[in-house]
Amino acid sequence: MKLNVVQFVLPFFLFALAACDNKKEMNSTKNETEPVFPQGEIITNDNFTGMAYLQPLIAADSLNPIAVGNVTFEPGARSKWHTHPAGQILLVIDGIGYYQEKGQPRKILHKGDAIKCPPNIPHWHGASAESSFVQVAITGREKGETVWMQPVTDEEYYSK
Ligand code: MN
C-alpha cells in the first residue's frame, strides 16, 4: 500500500503535540512546588531545634481568637515538646514531617495532611530528617499561650 502525505505526516504531528502537552504538565508540576506562603523570618527563640522560619498570616483578635502562621522547618528541625491550652490544627502544605503526642508513636506527615493537636496534650512537630516541612499552624489563643517544655532529644526524634 502506498502512503499518502497525511498518513506519513500525521503520526509525527501527533507525537509533537503529545510532547508539547507533556512539557506543559511538567511546568505545572514545577509551579506546584513553589511556596504557597512566604517563608518569613528565622525563628530566633529557643522553642525550636534547628532552623525554622515563621510567616505570621492572621493575628488573633476578639472576633477570631485564633492565630494562623506558616512555619517552614529545614530537615531535622523541630519544635520542643509543648502544649496548647486551646489546641491546634496543622495543615501540611509541603514536604515530609513528623508529629508526636507523648506516649504515642511518631506519625509521618505529608503534603495534604490535616492534624488536630488536642488541648493540653504534650506534643512536638517538625521536619523529617531528610526533607523540609511546611505547615500552617492554626492555634487557639482564647485560653492562653503555648506552654513550652523540654527539647525533643535525637533518640525521641529518630524513634519510630
Ligand atoms: Mn503544636
Side-chain angles (χ1 to χ4, degrees):
M1 191 180 93
K2 196 180 167 193
L3 289 172
N4 65 29
V5 172
V6 170
Q7 281 171 318
F8 185 74
V9 169
L10 194 61
F12 290 97
F13 177 74
L14 290 175
F15 180 80
L17 203 64
C20 279
D21 256 13
N22 202 21
K23 204 174 171 188
K24 246 190 278 174
E25 203 168 279
M26 282 165 67
N27 282 340
S28 73
T29 302
K30 192 182 166 197
N31 286 340
E32 280 169 19
T33 64
E34 290 182 6
V36 176
F37 298 109
Q39 183 173 259
E41 302 290 325
I42 292 178
I43 298 173
T44 54
N45 62 47
D46 70 348
N47 299 328
F48 293 80
T49 299
M51 297 287 282
Y53 303 79
L54 172 66
Q55 174 67 44
L57 297 174
I58 301 287
D61 60 23
S62 58
L63 186 62
N64 295 108
I66 296 163
V68 182
N70 185 84
V71 185
T72 303
F73 296 88
E74 290 189 354
R78 67 267 196 177
S79 71
K80 287 183 171 177
W81 287 96
H82 61 280
T83 62
H84 305 289
Q88 184 178 56
I89 291 164
L90 301 175
L91 306 179
V92 181
I93 60 170
D94 204 9
I96 301 170
Y98 299 149
Y99 170 80
Q100 185 176 28
E101 293 176 4
K102 202 79 181 171
Q104 300 293 321
R106 189 193 66 186
K107 288 180 180 168
I108 299 177
L109 302 180
H110 299 94
K111 180 178 179 177
D113 286 342
I115 284 276
K116 200 170 199 176
C117 320
N120 301 315
I121 296 294
H123 69 279
W124 63 271
H125 28 111
S128 62
E130 294 83 22
S131 171
S132 62
F133 175 66
V134 185
Q135 63 171 38
V136 171
I138 302 167
T139 312
R141 287 276 192 248
E142 72 271 29
K143 291 182 177 172
E145 293 298 311
T146 299
V147 178
W148 293 100
M149 302 157 78
Q150 71 278 16
V152 175
T153 64
D154 281 350
E155 196 183 352
E156 289 170 321
Y157 181 77
Y158 288 103
S159 73
K160 289 183 179 171

